[in-house]
Amino acid sequence: MENEALLKETYRYLGYRGGTPDEESDTLIRQCLQDVQEAARPASAMRRVEVTWREQENTLDLGPICVQSKTLARHLRGCHHAVIFAATIGIEVDRMIKRARIGGIAREAMLQAAGAAVVEEYCDRIEAQVIAEEKERGYITRTRYSPGYGDFALEHQPEVLSLLNASKQAGITLTDGFLMIPSKSVTAVIGIADS
């Protein structure tokens, strides 16, 4: 049975805010979502690190990674550890999207939206697992925060992926412009604080 939350998220990525597509489009969207789910090969890499606050304002170390970011510092205020993760749904989804370009922009857009929904749902599951594990330890967590949000620069992607050994663990690499391959991949930090 199809996951209605994933379908609604795919609609949202396609720009259907509160509305629904016509019957023909809806059939194609549902097929694209099913195709992405079948092609997806979720993989991830994760590491729990110490958060060390530096004297320089808005500067902190996430394990060996030094980050200067006002928005990340605000988001992690009070945190002493963090879980850094990388997640992907695999290269086959990228290949499917590339093949769809030949057939028309509508199918390509629908596959892009379905891929985004599926990778975000996978990240939600990883985040829920981290929350549960940290709760057992007596800690609380912050919501995930990714390079590219606010002033948390994408230039940190190489350090994050290297720290996680993400190429070997999850098959994620980077372009020179810090974009991840496979494209339906996410890196994020989840802050951990005392309850």
Side-chain angles (χ1 to χ4, degrees):
M1 182 163 159
E2 189 166 83
N3 183 331
E4 287 301 312
L6 272 178
L7 184 60
K8 286 180 181 177
E9 191 69 357
T10 303
Y11 290 159
R12 188 180 73 77
Y13 279 112
L14 286 167
Y16 293 101
R17 306 261 189 246
T20 55
D22 60 78
E23 189 175 332
E24 183 179 340
S25 296
D26 188 53
T27 300
L28 185 53
I29 292 166
R30 288 173 185 269
Q31 183 60 57
C32 287
L33 179 56
Q34 182 179 336
D35 291 348
V36 166
Q37 288 177 295
E38 289 173 1
R41 298 294 177 266
S44 63
M46 185 181 316
R47 186 163 172 189
R48 191 176 198 268
V49 298
E50 190 173 342
V51 175
T52 307
W53 297 87
R54 294 196 175 201
E55 288 183 23
Q56 185 179 355
E57 189 175 9
N58 300 319
T59 304
L60 60 138
D61 292 330
L62 299 171
I65 303 171
C66 179
V67 179
Q68 185 173 16
S69 166
K70 183 178 181 179
T71 57
L72 182 64
R74 184 174 47 232
H75 189 74
L76 295 182
R77 188 170 287 124
C79 294
H80 48 81
H81 286 90
V83 169
I84 303 174
F85 75 87
T88 186
I89 57 171
I91 198 68
E92 191 53 44
V93 175
D94 281 6
R95 291 181 181 134
M96 182 186 306
I97 292 168
K98 188 175 181 181
R99 286 190 302 268
R101 288 183 189 141
I102 299 166
I105 195 165
R107 179 166 166 74
E108 180 187 357
M110 291 173 186
L111 289 169
Q112 288 279 8
V118 171
V119 76
E120 284 299 318
E121 187 269 339
Y122 181 47
C123 289
D124 289 345
R125 286 188 281 140
I126 292 170
E127 187 173 6
Q129 174 190 338
V130 170
I131 290 168
E133 289 172 0
E134 294 303 330
K135 186 177 180 181
E136 277 186 28
R137 292 179 170 148
Y139 299 121
I140 59 171
T141 57
R142 304 281 194 270
T143 55
R144 67 180 184 259
Y145 201 85
S146 293
Y149 290 3
D151 63 349
F152 184 16
L154 284 176
E155 284 77 8
H156 291 290
Q157 292 283 51
E159 296 170 288
V160 168
L161 293 179
S162 176
L163 175 70
L164 299 173
N165 195 15
S167 176
K168 185 174 183 179
Q169 297 296 319
I172 302 171
T173 60
L174 283 175
T175 68
D176 290 339
F178 307 113
L179 299 177
M180 288 181 281
I181 300 171
S183 66
K184 300 307 176 200
S185 301
V186 172
T187 57
V189 176
I190 301 172
I192 300 165
D194 292 326
S195 54

